[in-house]
Amino acid sequence: MYETQVKNIAPEEARRLHEAGVPFIDVREVEEYAQARIPGASLLPLSEFMARYGEIPQDRPVVLYCRTGNRSWQAAAWLASLGYDQVLNLDGGIVRWYRSGLPVDTTPVEVGYAATPFQEVGPHEAQALLEEALVVDVREPWEYAEGHLPGAVNIPLSTLPARLAELPRDRPILLVCNSGNRSGVAADFLVQQGFPGEKVYNLEGGTYAWMASGLPVER
């Protein structure tokens, strides 16, 4: 459902929009943006997205991008679920933009890290939470089917706003994705929706870190 609401655009079309003054928003993390960015792009990291999406104008076109287009697609799909209908995703991200011969800004910048309002935990800390916490895997169903934490329920990030009623507010919630980026977005959003930050946990490194630690997955 959400995929049809996200329009991917090629670098050539993105360049025309850039020249016309359409806002570009970089959803990568701080250190990636600091190294190189599309000229004039604003930084709104995916990890802070749900807390700050109100900064994105809803009444005009906006182009989102990341390294290869995957994280920005997730962000665009989530915005589409909230009624944003002019959000565009740069297909192939800044990598394809650069390979198309378009300019990047490598001027050094200093940007700070924002403290998270939720709890970050590693694999073994997360394992200790399993008996008490509801584990929510925010990946897509096909990713979930390939292997997930024991007992995890699948609520894709793009459907989370519509499914809040399924989540408890009186017990810990452990959010999981492949690497911790999407689940960090979900954790931020839950806190913004009134879930207590001391009960909302994000698995740092996601299922990759979990499996690398030798911990079991279900299929």
Side-chain angles (χ1 to χ4, degrees), residues 7-12 14 63-70 72-73 88-97 100:
K7 181 182 178 184
N8 290 314
I9 59 171
E12 294 74 19
V63 177
L64 304 186
Y65 75 90
C66 62
R67 183 176 181 273
T68 61
N70 291 324
S72 50
W73 184 92
L88 306 167
N89 181 46
L90 176 56
D91 190 32
I94 194 172
V95 169
R96 187 176 169 194
W97 171 276
S100 298

Side-chain angles (χ1 to χ4, degrees), residues 24-30 33 41-45 52 55 111:
F24 274 56
I25 297 175
D26 190 322
V27 306
R28 298 174 301 161
E29 294 305 310
V30 168
Y33 178 86
S42 302
L43 174 65
L44 206 171
R52 296 176 53 195
E55 299 173 21
V111 280

Side-chain angles (χ1 to χ4, degrees), residues 18-120:
H18 187 265
E19 291 173 349
V22 170
F24 274 56
I25 297 175
D26 190 322
V27 306
R28 298 174 301 161
E29 294 305 310
V30 168
E31 65 277 8
E32 297 173 279
Y33 178 86
Q35 290 176 359
R37 67 215 72 88
I38 292 175
S42 302
L43 174 65
L44 206 171
L46 190 60
S47 59
E48 301 175 22
F49 207 76
M50 288 190 180
R52 296 176 53 195
Y53 75 91
E55 299 173 21
I56 299 173
Q58 196 168 359
D59 59 352
R60 60 182 297 197
V62 176
V63 177
L64 304 186
Y65 75 90
C66 62
R67 183 176 181 273
T68 61
N70 291 324
R71 284 173 283 176
S72 50
W73 184 92
Q74 291 286 336
W78 189 77
L79 288 174
S81 77
L82 295 179
Y84 284 73
D85 58 6
Q86 299 189 70
V87 177
L88 306 167
N89 181 46
L90 176 56
D91 190 32
I94 194 172
V95 169
R96 187 176 169 194
W97 171 276
Y98 177 73
R99 289 176 178 170
S100 298
L102 299 172
V104 295
D105 183 357
T106 57
T107 306
V109 294
E110 291 187 13
V111 280
Y113 288 87
T116 61
F118 50 86
Q119 312 303 310
E120 296 272 14

